[in-house]
Amino acid sequence: MRYYESLYIVNPNFEQSRIDEVMKLVSDKCGDYKFKIINHHTWGKKRLAYSIQKHKYGSFILLHFASETADKLKEFDRFMYLNKHILRNQTVVLNQEPEVSSDDEYKKKNDETLNEVDESVAEDSSDKVDEKADESVAEGSDDKVDEESTKREKE
């Protein structure tokens, strides 16, 4: 059995009920293709790296599923591409089976990961600020020495 992960982006203006409808549509289509759904979670609304169909934000949805064969994978990808509610999608093969998690566990784990990323970004930015301050102080003292030496040479 092969395991897959599909990440797709839905229109950010959709309410939660509309997002649930799109998720149900994708789940039903997976059932038609005889895929076994392992996880199907909403990541939430996030800013896009570039505009897609004039949207700066998108609602990200993560789908883990398993399949015996890869025959229906192209049809599934085509379905995702042609669905007008899905802005973008990408499906990749996983090396190992993903963990089954409930929505509550998934949200808690995702929030913890985001907090860790935010803390590491804050630490990195403060380290860079300290390094730049040290460099500017060092450069400033070199400038004073250079000015004093040029004054002495002129005298």
Side-chain angles (χ1 to χ4, degrees):
M1 181 156 297
R2 300 184 93 176
Y3 301 100
Y4 299 92
E5 178 179 86
S6 183
L7 179 67
Y8 57 99
I9 305 170
V10 177
N11 188 329
N13 298 324
F14 286 176
E15 295 176 1
Q16 187 60 42
S17 61
R18 190 79 185 267
I19 291 173
D20 291 339
E21 289 176 15
V22 173
M23 289 175 66
K24 183 169 177 10
L25 180 69
V26 171
S27 297
D28 291 344
K29 197 52 108 166
C30 286
D32 293 346
Y33 295 138
K34 297 190 174 42
F35 296 156
K36 179 186 168 214
I37 295 177
I38 300 169
N39 292 319
H40 203 178
H41 300 290
T42 303
W43 260 4
K45 190 184 289 188
K46 299 185 186 314
R47 184 166 172 78
L48 302 173
Y50 54 91
S51 295
I52 301 174
Q53 298 176 5
K54 299 183 181 178
H55 295 289
K56 292 183 181 180
Y57 290 86
S59 296
F60 285 68
I61 301 171
L62 183 66
L63 168 68
H64 289 128
F65 63 94
S67 176
E68 293 289 336
T69 62
D71 297 342
K72 299 288 185 181
L73 205 56
K74 282 189 178 184
E75 291 177 33
F76 175 72
D77 192 44
R78 188 71 181 158
F79 160 76
M80 298 288 272
Y81 181 76
L82 292 175
N83 190 321
K84 63 182 178 184
H85 302 300
I86 298 174
L87 303 177
R88 287 283 192 277
N89 76 295
Q90 183 174 21
T91 303
V92 295
V93 178
L94 298 175
N95 294 332
Q96 59 188 3
E97 182 178 2
E99 295 179 20
V100 178
S101 61
S102 68
D103 287 337
D104 294 334
E105 292 175 8
Y106 184 77
K107 287 178 183 176
K108 183 178 177 184
K109 184 177 179 181
N110 195 23
D111 289 343
E112 289 173 2
T113 305
L114 289 174
N115 289 338
E116 289 174 8
V117 169
D118 290 343
E119 290 172 3
S120 66
V121 168
E123 289 174 6
D124 289 346
S125 62
S126 65
D127 291 343
K128 289 179 183 178
V129 169
D130 291 342
E131 290 173 5
K132 287 182 180 180
D134 292 342
E135 289 175 7
S136 64
V137 169
E139 288 174 2
S141 61
D142 290 342
D143 291 342
K144 291 177 184 175
V145 172
D146 290 340
E147 290 173 12
E148 290 176 8
S149 63
T150 53
K151 287 181 184 176
R152 288 183 191 157
E153 290 175 2
K154 289 181 181 177
E155 293 175 357

